[in-house]
Amino acid sequence: MMLTFVESHRDQVSIEKKIFNSNPEYNYIAFDKRYLEANDILYQYEEAVELKTNRYLISLDEEPIGIIEYGMLSPRAHKPWLSLLLIDKEYQGLGYAKESYFLYEDLMRDKGVKSIQIAVHAINKKALDFWIPLGFEKYDERIYEQKLYYSFEKKLK
């Protein structure tokens, strides 16, 4: 079984919608609704173009099991940032999120990146419990669209 990142395109909205909607708790935290529609995903594609991020389906062999999105220059700090890592509920708890993250980290190391930044919703305990043990350290907090976010950074060795 091998994980790969496969570039995501607009014609894969239904695949992404299935992944997002298997995570209604996250959707509620991030989007104030439990289930997303196709136009919600299409809006994210537009945002990705605007923010110059790369969006991929995480595939386990040929099966899409998650989404990862990252950019090389974050809007605020102009550093490499991971904007989304989401695994289909069916595949959670099996180590695929961690494996996907390390695949991404290796990709960044290969590009000579020295640190990675992320922003996490302050109320997303599940995400905080995931990122902090991976070596991310909080350096800031801010309100964006009436939601409190924590900014984290991890130095790469």
Side-chain angles (χ1 to χ4, degrees):
M1 299 267 225
M2 194 172 98
L3 283 183
T4 54
F5 297 161
V6 179
E7 198 166 346
S8 189
H9 301 285
R10 290 174 180 273
D11 60 348
Q12 293 161 314
V13 164
S14 61
I15 296 168
E16 287 202 17
K17 189 171 131 185
K18 177 191 175 298
I19 294 166
F20 271 102
N21 288 341
S22 77
N23 291 282
E25 305 82 11
Y26 171 76
N27 290 343
Y28 191 74
I29 290 169
F31 307 106
D32 297 318
K33 56 182 167 182
R34 298 180 70 75
Y35 298 100
L36 302 188
E37 303 295 331
N39 61 341
D40 296 314
I41 309 289
L42 289 170
Y43 176 76
Q44 291 181 43
Y45 280 106
E46 289 169 24
E47 260 191 335
V49 170
E50 208 174 284
L51 295 170
K52 296 180 179 69
T53 55
N54 305 297
R55 191 173 178 106
Y56 297 89
L57 289 174
I58 300 166
S59 290
L60 179 62
D61 297 327
E62 300 298 312
E63 180 71 24
I65 66 161
I67 305 164
I68 188 166
E69 185 176 318
Y70 63 86
M72 296 309 290
L73 292 172
S74 64
R76 291 175 73 229
H78 304 290
K79 290 185 172 184
W81 62 305
L82 181 59
S83 59
L84 179 67
L85 175 59
L86 186 66
I87 300 292
D88 191 304
K89 187 73 126 195
E90 188 181 332
Y91 294 92
Q92 289 178 13
L94 303 171
Y96 295 126
K98 199 174 283 189
E99 193 179 332
S100 297
Y101 169 72
F102 286 126
L103 197 60
Y104 161 74
E105 193 177 277
D106 288 344
L107 191 65
M108 291 300 102
R109 249 191 219 95
D110 291 347
K111 293 177 181 279
V113 166
K114 302 288 182 241
S115 67
I116 295 167
Q117 295 187 334
I118 59 172
V120 178
H121 292 91
I123 63 168
N124 192 343
K125 183 172 173 8
K126 193 173 175 182
L128 295 169
D129 290 346
F130 177 78
W131 294 112
I132 293 168
L134 288 176
F136 280 86
E137 294 180 10
K138 182 177 151 188
Y139 69 89
D140 192 21
E141 54 183 65
R142 65 189 169 98
I143 305 277
Y144 177 71
E145 294 179 346
Q146 289 97 41
K147 296 175 193 276
L148 178 62
Y149 287 83
Y150 295 151
S151 298
F152 287 88
E153 185 168 42
K154 179 179 181 179
K155 305 273 189 249
L156 300 182
K157 292 177 177 73

